[in-house]
Coordinates of all heavy atoms in Angstrom, one line a residue:
M19 N 0.8 -1.2 0.0 CA 0.0 0.0 0.0 C 0.9 1.2 0.0 O 1.9 1.3 0.7 CB -0.9 0.0 1.2 CG -1.8 1.2 1.3 SD -2.9 1.2 2.8 CE -3.9 -0.1 2.4
R20 N 0.5 2.2 -0.8 CA 1.3 3.4 -0.9 C 1.0 4.3 0.3 O -0.1 4.2 0.9 CB 1.0 4.1 -2.2 CG 1.5 3.3 -3.4 CD 1.2 4.1 -4.7 NE 1.8 3.3 -5.8 CZ 1.8 3.7 -7.0 NH1 1.3 4.9 -7.3 NH2 2.3 3.0 -7.9
F21 N 1.9 5.2 0.5 CA 1.7 6.2 1.6 C 0.4 7.0 1.4 O -0.3 7.2 2.4 CB 2.9 7.1 1.8 CG 2.8 8.1 2.8 CD1 2.9 7.8 4.2 CD2 2.6 9.4 2.5 CE1 2.7 8.7 5.2 CE2 2.4 10.4 3.5 CZ 2.5 10.0 4.8
S22 N 0.2 7.5 0.2 CA -1.0 8.3 -0.1 C -2.3 7.5 0.2 O -3.3 8.1 0.6 CB -1.0 8.8 -1.5 OG -0.9 7.7 -2.4
Q23 N -2.3 6.2 0.0 CA -3.4 5.4 0.3 C -3.6 5.2 1.8 O -4.7 5.2 2.3 CB -3.3 4.0 -0.4 CG -3.4 4.2 -1.9 CD -3.0 2.9 -2.6 OE1 -2.2 2.1 -2.1 NE2 -3.5 2.7 -3.8
R24 N -2.5 5.0 2.5 CA -2.5 4.8 4.0 C -3.1 6.0 4.7 O -3.8 5.9 5.7 CB -1.2 4.5 4.5 CG -0.7 3.0 4.3 CD 0.4 2.6 5.1 NE 1.6 3.5 5.0 CZ 2.6 3.3 4.1 NH1 2.6 2.2 3.4 NH2 3.6 4.1 4.1
I25 N -2.8 7.2 4.2 CA -3.2 8.4 4.9 C -4.6 8.9 4.4 O -5.1 9.9 4.8 CB -2.2 9.6 4.8 CG1 -2.0 10.0 3.4 CG2 -0.9 9.2 5.5 CD1 -1.1 11.3 3.3
G26 N -5.1 8.2 3.4 CA -6.5 8.5 2.9 C -6.5 9.5 1.7 O -7.6 9.9 1.4
K27 N -5.4 9.9 1.2 CA -5.4 10.8 0.0 C -6.0 10.1 -1.2 O -6.7 10.8 -2.0 CB -4.0 11.4 -0.2 CG -3.6 12.4 0.7 CD -4.3 13.7 0.4 CE -3.7 14.9 1.0 NZ -4.5 16.1 0.8
N28 N -5.6 8.9 -1.5 CA -6.0 8.2 -2.6 C -6.7 6.9 -2.2 O -6.3 6.3 -1.1 CB -4.9 7.8 -3.6 CG -4.3 9.0 -4.2 OD1 -4.9 10.0 -4.5 ND2 -3.0 9.0 -4.5
T29 N -7.7 6.4 -2.9 CA -8.4 5.2 -2.5 C -7.6 4.0 -2.9 O -6.7 4.1 -3.9 CB -9.7 5.1 -3.2 OG1 -9.6 5.1 -4.6 CG2 -10.6 6.3 -2.8
V30 N -7.8 2.9 -2.3 CA -7.1 1.7 -2.5 C -7.9 1.0 -3.6 O -9.1 0.8 -3.5 CB -7.0 0.8 -1.3 CG1 -6.4 -0.5 -1.6 CG2 -6.3 1.5 -0.2
R31 N -7.2 0.6 -4.7 CA -7.9 -0.1 -5.8 C -8.1 -1.6 -5.4 O -7.4 -2.1 -4.5 CB -7.0 -0.1 -7.1 CG -6.9 1.3 -7.6 CD -6.0 1.4 -8.9 NE -6.3 0.3 -9.8 CZ -5.3 -0.4 -10.4 NH1 -4.0 0.0 -10.2 NH2 -5.5 -1.3 -11.3
Q32 N -9.0 -2.3 -6.1 CA -9.2 -3.7 -5.8 C -7.9 -4.4 -6.3 O -7.3 -4.1 -7.3 CB -10.4 -4.2 -6.7 CG -11.7 -3.8 -6.1 CD -12.8 -4.4 -7.0 OE1 -12.7 -4.4 -8.2 NE2 -13.8 -5.0 -6.4
S33 N -7.6 -5.4 -5.5 CA -6.3 -6.1 -5.9 C -6.6 -7.2 -7.0 O -5.8 -7.4 -7.8 CB -5.7 -6.8 -4.6 OG -6.7 -7.7 -4.1
L34 N -7.8 -7.8 -7.0 CA -8.2 -8.7 -8.0 C -9.4 -8.2 -8.8 O -10.4 -7.9 -8.2 CB -8.5 -10.1 -7.4 CG -7.4 -10.9 -6.7 CD1 -7.9 -12.1 -6.1 CD2 -6.3 -11.2 -7.8
Q35 N -9.2 -8.1 -10.1 CA -10.3 -7.6 -10.9 C -10.8 -8.7 -11.7 O -10.2 -9.0 -12.8 CB -9.8 -6.4 -11.7 CG -9.4 -5.2 -10.9 CD -8.9 -4.1 -11.7 OE1 -9.3 -3.9 -12.9 NE2 -8.1 -3.2 -11.2
I36 N -11.8 -9.4 -11.3 CA -12.2 -10.6 -11.9 C -13.3 -10.4 -13.0 O -13.3 -10.8 -14.1 CB -12.7 -11.7 -10.9 CG1 -11.6 -12.0 -10.0 CG2 -13.3 -12.9 -11.5 CD1 -12.0 -12.8 -8.8
E37 N -14.4 -9.6 -12.6 CA -15.5 -9.4 -13.5 C -15.1 -8.4 -14.6 O -15.6 -8.5 -15.7 CB -16.7 -8.8 -12.7 CG -17.2 -9.7 -11.6 CD -17.9 -10.9 -12.2 OE1 -18.6 -10.8 -13.2 OE2 -17.8 -12.0 -11.6
F38 N -14.3 -7.4 -14.3 CA -14.0 -6.4 -15.3 C -12.6 -5.8 -14.9 O -12.1 -6.1 -13.8 CB -15.0 -5.3 -15.4 CG -15.1 -4.5 -14.1 CD1 -14.4 -3.3 -14.0 CD2 -15.9 -4.9 -13.0 CE1 -14.5 -2.6 -12.8 CE2 -16.0 -4.2 -11.9 CZ -15.3 -3.0 -11.7
I39 N -12.0 -5.1 -15.8 CA -10.8 -4.4 -15.5 C -11.0 -2.9 -15.6 O -11.8 -2.4 -16.5 CB -9.6 -4.8 -16.3 CG1 -9.8 -4.5 -17.8 CG2 -9.3 -6.3 -16.1 CD1 -8.6 -4.8 -18.7
D40 N -10.4 -2.1 -14.7 CA -10.6 -0.7 -14.8 C -9.7 -0.1 -15.9 O -8.8 -0.8 -16.5 CB -10.4 0.0 -13.4 CG -9.0 -0.2 -12.9 OD1 -8.1 -0.7 -13.6 OD2 -8.8 0.1 -11.7
T41 N -9.9 1.2 -16.1 CA -9.1 1.8 -17.2 C -7.6 1.8 -16.9 O -6.8 1.7 -17.8 CB -9.6 3.3 -17.4 OG1 -11.0 3.3 -17.6 CG2 -9.0 4.0 -18.5
T42 N -7.2 2.0 -15.7 CA -5.8 2.0 -15.3 C -5.2 0.7 -15.7 O -4.1 0.7 -16.3 CB -5.6 2.3 -13.8 OG1 -6.3 3.6 -13.5 CG2 -4.2 2.3 -13.5
L43 N -5.8 -0.4 -15.3 CA -5.2 -1.7 -15.7 C -5.2 -2.0 -17.2 O -4.3 -2.5 -17.7 CB -6.0 -2.8 -14.9 CG -5.5 -4.2 -15.2 CD1 -4.0 -4.4 -14.8 CD2 -6.4 -5.2 -14.4
E44 N -6.3 -1.6 -17.8 CA -6.4 -1.8 -19.3 C -5.2 -1.0 -20.0 O -4.6 -1.5 -20.9 CB -7.7 -1.3 -19.8 CG -7.9 -1.4 -21.3 CD -9.3 -0.9 -21.7 OE1 -10.1 -0.6 -20.9 OE2 -9.5 -0.9 -23.0
N45 N -5.0 0.2 -19.6 CA -3.9 1.0 -20.2 C -2.6 0.4 -19.9 O -1.7 0.4 -20.8 CB -4.0 2.5 -19.6 CG -5.2 3.2 -20.2 OD1 -5.8 2.8 -21.2 ND2 -5.6 4.3 -19.5
R46 N -2.4 0.0 -18.7 CA -1.1 -0.7 -18.3 C -0.8 -1.9 -19.2 O 0.3 -2.2 -19.6 CB -1.0 -1.0 -16.9 CG -0.8 0.3 -16.0 CD -0.7 -0.1 -14.6 NE -0.4 1.2 -13.8 CZ -0.4 1.2 -12.5 NH1 -0.5 0.1 -11.8 NH2 -0.2 2.4 -11.9
L47 N -1.9 -2.8 -19.3 CA -1.7 -4.0 -20.1 C -1.4 -3.6 -21.6 O -0.5 -4.3 -22.2 CB -3.0 -4.8 -20.0 CG -3.2 -5.5 -18.7 CD1 -4.6 -6.1 -18.7 CD2 -2.2 -6.6 -18.4
W48 N -2.1 -2.6 -22.1 CA -1.9 -2.2 -23.5 C -0.5 -1.7 -23.7 O 0.2 -2.1 -24.6 CB -2.9 -1.2 -23.9 CG -2.7 -0.8 -25.3 CD1 -2.2 0.4 -25.8 CD2 -3.0 -1.6 -26.5 NE1 -2.1 0.3 -27.2 CE2 -2.6 -0.9 -27.6 CE3 -3.5 -2.9 -26.7 CZ2 -2.7 -1.3 -28.9 CZ3 -3.6 -3.4 -28.0 CH2 -3.2 -2.6 -29.1
N49 N 0.0 -0.9 -22.8 CA 1.3 -0.3 -22.8 C 2.4 -1.4 -22.7 O 3.4 -1.4 -23.5 CB 1.6 0.7 -21.8 CG 0.8 2.0 -22.0 OD1 0.4 2.3 -23.2 ND2 0.5 2.7 -21.0
H50 N 2.2 -2.4 -21.9 CA 3.1 -3.5 -21.8 C 3.1 -4.3 -23.0 O 4.2 -4.8 -23.5 CB 2.9 -4.4 -20.6 CG 3.4 -3.8 -19.3 ND1 4.7 -3.7 -19.0 CD2 2.7 -3.2 -18.2 CE1 4.8 -3.2 -17.8 NE2 3.6 -2.8 -17.3
F51 N 2.0 -4.6 -23.6 CA 1.9 -5.3 -24.9 C 2.7 -4.6 -26.0 O 3.5 -5.2 -26.7 CB 0.4 -5.4 -25.3 CG 0.2 -6.0 -26.7 CD1 0.5 -7.3 -26.9 CD2 -0.2 -5.2 -27.7 CE1 0.3 -7.9 -28.2 CE2 -0.4 -5.7 -29.0 CZ -0.2 -7.0 -29.2
L52 N 2.5 -3.3 -26.1 CA 3.3 -2.5 -27.1 C 4.7 -2.5 -26.8 O 5.6 -2.7 -27.7 CB 2.7 -1.1 -27.3 CG 1.3 -1.0 -27.9 CD1 0.9 0.5 -28.0 CD2 1.3 -1.6 -29.3
N53 N 5.1 -2.1 -25.6 CA 6.5 -1.9 -25.2 C 7.3 -3.1 -25.1 O 8.5 -3.2 -25.5 CB 6.6 -1.1 -23.9 CG 6.1 0.3 -24.1 OD1 6.1 0.9 -25.1 ND2 5.6 0.9 -23.0
N54 N 6.7 -4.2 -24.6 CA 7.5 -5.4 -24.3 C 7.3 -6.5 -25.3 O 8.0 -7.5 -25.2 CB 7.2 -5.9 -22.9 CG 7.6 -4.9 -21.8 OD1 8.7 -4.3 -21.9 ND2 6.7 -4.6 -20.9
F55 N 6.4 -6.3 -26.2 CA 6.2 -7.4 -27.2 C 6.4 -6.8 -28.6 O 7.3 -7.2 -29.3 CB 4.8 -8.0 -27.1 CG 4.6 -9.1 -28.1 CD1 5.3 -10.3 -28.1 CD2 3.7 -8.9 -29.1 CE1 5.1 -11.3 -29.0 CE2 3.4 -9.9 -30.0 CZ 4.2 -11.1 -30.0
I56 N 5.5 -5.9 -29.0 CA 5.5 -5.4 -30.4 C 6.8 -4.6 -30.6 O 7.5 -4.9 -31.7 CB 4.3 -4.5 -30.6 CG1 3.0 -5.3 -30.5 CG2 4.4 -3.8 -32.0 CD1 2.9 -6.4 -31.5
D57 N 7.2 -3.7 -29.8 CA 8.4 -2.9 -30.0 C 9.7 -3.8 -30.0 O 10.7 -3.5 -30.6 CB 8.5 -1.8 -29.0 CG 7.5 -0.7 -29.3 OD1 6.9 -0.7 -30.4 OD2 7.3 0.2 -28.4
K58 N 9.7 -4.9 -29.2 CA 10.9 -5.7 -29.2 C 11.1 -6.5 -30.5 O 12.1 -7.0 -30.7 CB 10.7 -6.7 -28.0 CG 10.6 -6.1 -26.6 CD 11.9 -5.5 -26.2 CE 11.8 -5.0 -24.8 NZ 12.7 -4.1 -24.4
L59 N 10.0 -6.6 -31.3 CA 10.1 -7.4 -32.5 C 11.1 -6.7 -33.5 O 11.5 -7.3 -34.4 CB 8.7 -7.6 -33.1 CG 7.8 -8.4 -32.3 CD1 6.4 -8.5 -33.0 CD2 8.3 -9.8 -32.2
D60 N 11.3 -5.4 -33.3 CA 12.2 -4.7 -34.2 C 13.6 -5.3 -34.2 O 14.4 -5.2 -35.1 CB 12.3 -3.2 -33.8 CG 11.1 -2.4 -34.3 OD1 10.5 -2.9 -35.3 OD2 10.8 -1.4 -33.7
S61 N 14.0 -5.9 -33.0 CA 15.4 -6.4 -32.9 C 15.6 -7.7 -33.7 O 16.7 -8.2 -33.8 CB 15.7 -6.6 -31.4 OG 14.9 -7.5 -30.8
Y62 N 14.5 -8.3 -34.1 CA 14.6 -9.6 -34.8 C 14.4 -9.3 -36.3 O 13.6 -8.5 -36.7 CB 13.5 -10.6 -34.4 CG 13.7 -11.0 -32.9 CD1 12.8 -10.4 -32.0 CD2 14.6 -11.9 -32.5 CE1 12.9 -10.7 -30.6 CE2 14.7 -12.2 -31.2 CZ 13.9 -11.6 -30.2 OH 14.0 -11.9 -28.9
S63 N 15.1 -10.1 -37.1 CA 15.0 -9.9 -38.6 C 15.1 -11.2 -39.3 O 15.9 -12.0 -38.9 CB 16.1 -8.9 -39.1 OG 16.0 -8.8 -40.5
T64 N 14.2 -11.4 -40.3 CA 14.3 -12.7 -41.0 C 15.0 -12.5 -42.3 O 15.8 -13.3 -42.7 CB 12.9 -13.2 -41.2 OG1 12.1 -12.2 -41.9 CG2 12.2 -13.6 -39.9
D65 N 14.6 -11.5 -43.1 CA 15.3 -11.1 -44.3 C 15.0 -9.7 -44.6 O 14.4 -9.0 -43.9 CB 14.8 -12.0 -45.5 CG 13.3 -12.0 -45.7 OD1 12.7 -10.9 -45.4 OD2 12.8 -12.9 -46.2
E66 N 15.5 -9.2 -45.7 CA 15.4 -7.8 -46.1 C 14.0 -7.4 -46.5 O 13.6 -6.3 -46.3 CB 16.4 -7.5 -47.2 CG 17.8 -7.7 -46.9 CD 18.3 -6.7 -45.8 OE1 17.8 -5.6 -45.7 OE2 19.1 -7.2 -44.9
A67 N 13.3 -8.3 -47.1 CA 12.0 -8.0 -47.7 C 10.8 -7.9 -46.6 O 10.0 -7.1 -46.7 CB 11.6 -9.0 -48.7
T68 N 10.9 -8.8 -45.6 CA 9.8 -8.9 -44.7 C 10.4 -8.7 -43.3 O 11.3 -9.4 -42.8 CB 9.1 -10.3 -44.8 OG1 8.7 -10.5 -46.1 CG2 7.9 -10.4 -43.9
S69 N 9.8 -7.8 -42.5 CA 10.2 -7.6 -41.1 C 9.5 -8.7 -40.2 O 8.5 -9.3 -40.6 CB 9.8 -6.2 -40.7 OG 8.4 -6.1 -40.4
F70 N 10.1 -8.9 -39.1 CA 9.6 -9.8 -38.1 C 8.2 -9.4 -37.6 O 7.4 -10.2 -37.4 CB 10.6 -10.0 -37.0 CG 10.4 -11.3 -36.2 CD1 10.5 -12.5 -36.8 CD2 10.0 -11.2 -34.9 CE1 10.3 -13.7 -36.1 CE2 9.8 -12.4 -34.2 CZ 9.9 -13.6 -34.8
K71 N 8.0 -8.1 -37.5 CA 6.7 -7.5 -37.1 C 5.6 -8.0 -38.1 O 4.5 -8.3 -37.7 CB 6.8 -6.0 -37.0 CG 7.2 -5.5 -35.7 CD 7.1 -4.0 -35.7 CE 7.5 -3.4 -34.4 NZ 7.3 -1.9 -34.3
E72 N 6.0 -7.9 -39.3 CA 5.0 -8.3 -40.4 C 4.7 -9.8 -40.2 O 3.5 -10.2 -40.3 CB 5.5 -8.0 -41.8 CG 5.6 -6.5 -42.1 CD 6.2 -6.3 -43.5 OE1 6.0 -7.1 -44.3 OE2 6.8 -5.2 -43.6
L73 N 5.7 -10.6 -40.0 CA 5.4 -12.0 -39.9 C 4.6 -12.4 -38.7 O 3.6 -13.2 -38.7 CB 6.8 -12.8 -39.8 CG 7.6 -12.9 -41.1 CD1 8.9 -13.6 -40.8 CD2 6.8 -13.6 -42.2
V74 N 4.9 -11.7 -37.5 CA 4.1 -12.0 -36.3 C 2.7 -11.4 -36.5 O 1.7 -12.1 -36.1 CB 4.8 -11.3 -35.1 CG1 3.9 -11.3 -33.9 CG2 6.1 -12.0 -34.8
S75 N 2.5 -10.3 -37.1 CA 1.2 -9.7 -37.4 C 0.4 -10.7 -38.2 O -0.8 -10.9 -38.0 CB 1.3 -8.4 -38.1 OG 1.9 -7.5 -37.2
K76 N 1.0 -11.3 -39.2 CA 0.4 -12.2 -40.1 C -0.1 -13.5 -39.4 O -1.2 -14.0 -39.6 CB 1.3 -12.6 -41.3 CG 0.6 -13.3 -42.4 CD 1.6 -13.4 -43.6 CE 0.9 -13.9 -44.8 NZ 1.9 -14.0 -46.0
I77 N 0.8 -14.0 -38.5 CA 0.5 -15.1 -37.7 C -0.7 -14.8 -36.7 O -1.6 -15.6 -36.6 CB 1.7 -15.6 -36.9 CG1 2.7 -16.2 -37.9 CG2 1.3 -16.7 -35.8 CD1 4.1 -16.5 -37.3
I78 N -0.7 -13.7 -36.1 CA -1.8 -13.3 -35.2 C -3.1 -13.2 -36.0 O -4.1 -13.7 -35.5 CB -1.5 -11.9 -34.5 CG1 -0.3 -12.1 -33.5 CG2 -2.7 -11.4 -33.8 CD1 0.2 -10.8 -32.9
W79 N -3.0 -12.6 -37.2 CA -4.2 -12.4 -38.0 C -4.8 -13.8 -38.5 O -6.0 -14.0 -38.4 CB -3.9 -11.6 -39.2 CG -5.0 -11.1 -40.0 CD1 -5.5 -11.7 -41.1 CD2 -5.9 -10.0 -39.7 NE1 -6.6 -11.0 -41.6 CE2 -6.8 -9.9 -40.7 CE3 -5.9 -9.0 -38.7 CZ2 -7.8 -8.9 -40.8 CZ3 -6.8 -8.0 -38.8 CH2 -7.8 -8.0 -39.8
T80 N -3.9 -14.7 -38.9 CA -4.4 -15.9 -39.5 C -4.6 -17.0 -38.4 O -5.6 -17.8 -38.5 CB -3.5 -16.4 -40.6 OG1 -2.2 -16.6 -40.0 CG2 -3.5 -15.5 -41.7
E81 N -3.7 -17.1 -37.5 CA -3.8 -18.2 -36.5 C -4.6 -17.9 -35.3 O -5.3 -18.8 -34.8 CB -2.4 -18.7 -36.1 CG -1.5 -19.2 -37.3 CD -2.1 -20.4 -38.0 OE1 -2.7 -21.2 -37.3 OE2 -2.1 -20.4 -39.3
F82 N -4.4 -16.7 -34.7 CA -5.2 -16.4 -33.5 C -6.6 -15.9 -33.8 O -7.5 -16.5 -33.3 CB -4.4 -15.2 -32.7 CG -5.1 -14.8 -31.5 CD1 -5.0 -15.6 -30.3 CD2 -5.9 -13.7 -31.4 CE1 -5.7 -15.3 -29.2 CE2 -6.6 -13.3 -30.2 CZ -6.4 -14.1 -29.1
F83 N -6.7 -15.0 -34.7 CA -8.1 -14.5 -35.1 C -8.8 -15.4 -36.1 O -10.0 -15.4 -36.3 CB -8.0 -13.1 -35.7 CG -7.7 -12.0 -34.7 CD1 -6.6 -11.2 -34.9 CD2 -8.4 -11.9 -33.5 CE1 -6.2 -10.2 -34.0 CE2 -8.0 -10.9 -32.6 CZ -7.0 -10.1 -32.8
E84 N -8.0 -16.2 -36.8 CA -8.5 -17.2 -37.8 C -9.2 -16.4 -39.0 O -10.2 -16.9 -39.5 CB -9.3 -18.2 -37.2 CG -8.6 -19.1 -36.2 CD -9.5 -20.2 -35.5 OE1 -10.7 -20.1 -35.7 OE2 -8.9 -21.0 -34.9
F85 N -8.6 -15.3 -39.4 CA -9.1 -14.5 -40.5 C -8.4 -15.0 -41.8 O -7.3 -15.6 -41.7 CB -8.9 -13.0 -40.3 CG -9.7 -12.4 -39.2 CD1 -9.2 -11.3 -38.5 CD2 -10.9 -12.9 -38.8 CE1 -9.9 -10.7 -37.5 CE2 -11.6 -12.3 -37.8 CZ -11.1 -11.2 -37.1
K86 N -9.0 -14.6 -42.9 CA -8.4 -14.9 -44.2 C -7.2 -14.0 -44.4 O -7.2 -12.8 -44.1 CB -9.4 -14.7 -45.3 CG -10.6 -15.6 -45.2 CD -11.6 -15.3 -46.2 CE -12.8 -16.2 -46.0 NZ -14.0 -15.7 -46.8
V87 N -6.1 -14.6 -44.9 CA -4.8 -13.9 -45.1 C -5.0 -12.8 -46.1 O -4.3 -11.8 -46.0 CB -3.7 -14.9 -45.5 CG1 -3.9 -15.4 -46.9 CG2 -2.4 -14.3 -45.3
D88 N -5.9 -12.9 -47.1 CA -6.0 -11.8 -48.0 C -6.8 -10.6 -47.5 O -6.9 -9.6 -48.2 CB -6.6 -12.3 -49.3 CG -8.0 -12.8 -49.2 OD1 -8.4 -13.2 -48.0 OD2 -8.7 -12.9 -50.2
E89 N -7.3 -10.7 -46.3 CA -8.1 -9.6 -45.6 C -7.2 -8.9 -44.6 O -7.7 -8.0 -43.9 CB -9.3 -10.1 -45.0 CG -10.3 -10.7 -46.0 CD -11.5 -11.4 -45.4 OE1 -11.6 -11.5 -44.1 OE2 -12.4 -11.7 -46.1
I90 N -6.0 -9.2 -44.5 CA -5.1 -8.5 -43.5 C -4.8 -7.1 -44.0 O -4.7 -6.9 -45.2 CB -3.8 -9.3 -43.3 CG1 -3.0 -8.8 -42.1 CG2 -2.9 -9.2 -44.6 CD1 -1.9 -9.7 -41.7
P91 N -4.8 -6.1 -43.1 CA -4.5 -4.8 -43.5 C -3.1 -4.7 -44.2 O -2.2 -5.3 -43.7 CB -4.4 -4.0 -42.2 CG -5.3 -4.8 -41.2 CD -5.1 -6.2 -41.7
S92 N -3.1 -4.1 -45.4 CA -1.9 -4.1 -46.1 C -1.6 -2.7 -46.7 O -2.4 -1.8 -46.8 CB -1.9 -5.1 -47.3 OG -3.0 -4.8 -48.2
N93 N -0.3 -2.5 -47.0 CA 0.2 -1.2 -47.5 C 0.0 -1.3 -49.0 O -0.3 -2.3 -49.6 CB 1.7 -1.0 -47.2 CG 1.8 -0.9 -45.7 OD1 1.1 -0.3 -45.0 ND2 2.9 -1.5 -45.1
Y94 N 0.3 -0.1 -49.7 CA 0.2 0.0 -51.1 C 1.1 -1.0 -51.9 O 0.8 -1.4 -53.0 CB 0.5 1.4 -51.6 CG 2.0 1.8 -51.3 CD1 3.0 1.6 -52.3 CD2 2.3 2.4 -50.1 CE1 4.3 1.9 -52.0 CE2 3.6 2.7 -49.8 CZ 4.6 2.5 -50.8 OH 5.9 2.8 -50.5
D95 N 2.2 -1.5 -51.3 CA 3.1 -2.4 -51.9 C 2.8 -3.9 -51.5 O 3.6 -4.8 -51.7 CB 4.5 -2.1 -51.6 CG 4.8 -2.2 -50.1 OD1 3.9 -2.3 -49.3 OD2 6.0 -2.0 -49.8
S96 N 1.6 -4.1 -51.0 CA 1.1 -5.5 -50.6 C 1.8 -6.0 -49.3 O 1.6 -7.2 -49.0 CB 1.2 -6.5 -51.7 OG 0.4 -6.0 -52.8
S97 N 2.6 -5.2 -48.7 CA 3.2 -5.7 -47.4 C 2.2 -5.5 -46.3 O 1.3 -4.7 -46.4 CB 4.5 -4.9 -47.1 OG 4.2 -3.5 -46.9
V98 N 2.4 -6.3 -45.2 CA 1.5 -6.2 -44.1 C 1.6 -4.9 -43.4 O 2.7 -4.4 -43.1 CB 1.8 -7.4 -43.1 CG1 0.9 -7.3 -41.9 CG2 1.6 -8.7 -43.8
N99 N 0.4 -4.3 -43.1 CA 0.4 -3.0 -42.4 C 0.3 -3.4 -40.9 O -0.8 -3.6 -40.4 CB -0.8 -2.2 -42.9 CG -0.9 -0.9 -42.2 OD1 -0.4 -0.6 -41.1 ND2 -1.6 0.1 -42.9
V100 N 1.4 -3.4 -40.3 CA 1.5 -3.7 -38.8 C 0.6 -2.8 -38.0 O -0.1 -3.3 -37.1 CB 3.0 -3.7 -38.4 CG1 3.0 -4.1 -36.9 CG2 3.8 -4.7 -39.2
S101 N 0.6 -1.5 -38.2 CA -0.1 -0.6 -37.4 C -1.6 -0.9 -37.6 O -2.4 -0.7 -36.7 CB 0.2 0.8 -37.7 OG -0.1 1.1 -39.1
G102 N -2.1 -1.4 -38.8 CA -3.5 -1.7 -39.0 C -3.9 -2.9 -38.2 O -5.0 -2.9 -37.6
V103 N -3.0 -3.9 -38.1 CA -3.3 -5.1 -37.2 C -3.3 -4.6 -35.7 O -4.2 -5.0 -35.0 CB -2.2 -6.2 -37.4 CG1 -2.4 -7.3 -36.5 CG2 -2.3 -6.7 -38.9
I104 N -2.4 -3.8 -35.3 CA -2.4 -3.3 -33.9 C -3.6 -2.5 -33.6 O -4.2 -2.7 -32.6 CB -1.1 -2.5 -33.7 CG1 0.1 -3.4 -33.7 CG2 -1.2 -1.8 -32.3 CD1 1.4 -2.7 -33.7
K105 N -4.1 -1.7 -34.6 CA -5.3 -0.9 -34.4 C -6.5 -1.8 -34.2 O -7.4 -1.6 -33.4 CB -5.5 0.1 -35.5 CG -4.6 1.3 -35.4 CD -4.8 2.2 -36.6 CE -3.8 3.3 -36.5 NZ -3.9 4.2 -37.7
Y106 N -6.5 -2.9 -35.0 CA -7.6 -3.9 -34.9 C -7.6 -4.5 -33.5 O -8.7 -4.7 -32.9 CB -7.5 -4.9 -36.0 CG -8.7 -5.9 -35.9 CD1 -9.9 -5.6 -36.3 CD2 -8.5 -7.2 -35.2 CE1 -11.0 -6.5 -36.2 CE2 -9.5 -8.1 -35.1 CZ -10.7 -7.7 -35.6 OH -11.8 -8.6 -35.4
I107 N -6.5 -4.9 -33.0 CA -6.4 -5.6 -31.7 C -6.8 -4.6 -30.6 O -7.6 -5.0 -29.7 CB -4.9 -6.0 -31.4 CG1 -4.5 -7.1 -32.4 CG2 -4.7 -6.4 -30.0 CD1 -3.0 -7.4 -32.3
K108 N -6.5 -3.3 -30.8 CA -6.9 -2.3 -29.8 C -8.4 -2.1 -29.8 O -9.0 -1.9 -28.8 CB -6.1 -1.0 -30.0 CG -6.4 0.0 -29.0 CD -5.5 1.2 -29.2 CE -5.7 2.2 -28.1 NZ -4.9 3.4 -28.3
K109 N -8.9 -2.1 -31.0 CA -10.4 -1.8 -31.2 C -11.2 -2.9 -30.6 O -12.3 -2.6 -30.0 CB -10.7 -1.7 -32.7 CG -12.1 -1.3 -33.0 CD -12.4 -1.2 -34.5 CE -12.6 -2.6 -35.1 NZ -13.0 -2.6 -36.5
I110 N -10.8 -4.1 -30.7 CA -11.7 -5.2 -30.1 C -11.4 -5.5 -28.7 O -12.1 -6.3 -28.1 CB -11.5 -6.5 -30.9 CG1 -10.1 -7.0 -30.9 CG2 -12.0 -6.3 -32.3 CD1 -10.0 -8.4 -31.4
N111 N -10.5 -4.8 -28.1 CA -10.2 -4.8 -26.6 C -9.9 -6.2 -26.1 O -10.5 -6.7 -25.1 CB -11.4 -4.3 -25.8 CG -11.4 -2.8 -25.9 OD1 -10.4 -2.1 -25.9 ND2 -12.6 -2.2 -25.9
I112 N -9.0 -6.9 -26.7 CA -8.6 -8.2 -26.2 C -7.4 -8.1 -25.2 O -7.1 -9.0 -24.5 CB -8.3 -9.3 -27.3 CG1 -7.1 -8.9 -28.1 CG2 -9.5 -9.6 -28.1 CD1 -6.6 -10.0 -29.0
I113 N -6.8 -7.0 -25.2 CA -5.6 -6.7 -24.3 C -6.1 -5.9 -23.2 O -6.7 -4.9 -23.4 CB -4.4 -6.1 -25.1 CG1 -4.0 -7.0 -26.2 CG2 -3.3 -5.8 -24.1 CD1 -3.3 -8.3 -25.9

């Protein structure tokens, strides 16, 4: 418990959020997903043409969501639009 909670300045949050999650927890989970998973993919590389982020995005799209591969958000050059996949994940609130 933080000092501000002990002296009554801030309320104590629920420790276990089973039925729903509050905005603070949702934002923290989303930030950790982006910072510790998506952004770390930059350090991996498979070849010059396709980034690792694109490959992971394609796997998430086809294997996790089970969507058709030709419906994945793509750029003008037919490469996977990683930010489009991330926006979709954020929109449906699975994180």
Side-chain angles (χ1 to χ4, degrees):
M19 180 181 293
R20 295 182 175 185
F21 178 73
S22 60
Q23 293 168 332
R24 284 195 303 266
I25 64 171
K27 282 288 196 185
N28 293 328
T29 59
V30 178
R31 293 177 44 222
Q32 286 181 313
S33 58
L34 293 176
Q35 298 180 24
I36 298 171
E37 299 289 324
F38 64 95
I39 61 173
D40 61 10
T41 304
T42 302
L43 179 57
E44 182 179 353
N45 291 340
R46 286 182 178 176
L47 288 171
W48 181 253
N49 290 336
H50 281 288
F51 171 71
L52 288 180
N53 294 331
N54 296 317
F55 180 68
I56 298 296
D57 289 344
K58 299 287 185 200
L59 295 176
D60 284 333
S61 61
Y62 300 101
S63 177
T64 56
D65 59 27
E66 297 297 322
T68 306
S69 74
F70 199 64
K71 274 186 180 180
E72 290 179 27
L73 289 174
V74 170
S75 297
K76 194 173 189 178
I77 291 169
I78 290 171
W79 191 262
T80 58
E81 300 299 321
F82 181 78
F83 291 124
E84 298 178 348
F85 292 151
K86 296 174 184 167
V87 72
D88 62 340
E89 295 175 354
I90 193 167
S92 58
N93 297 319
Y94 63 91
D95 62 351
S96 298
S97 63
V98 175
N99 184 334
V100 176
S101 63
V103 174
I104 292 170
K105 285 179 185 177
Y106 179 79
I107 294 169
K108 186 175 184 179
K109 183 178 82 172
I110 63 169
N111 285 324
I112 62 168
I113 301 290

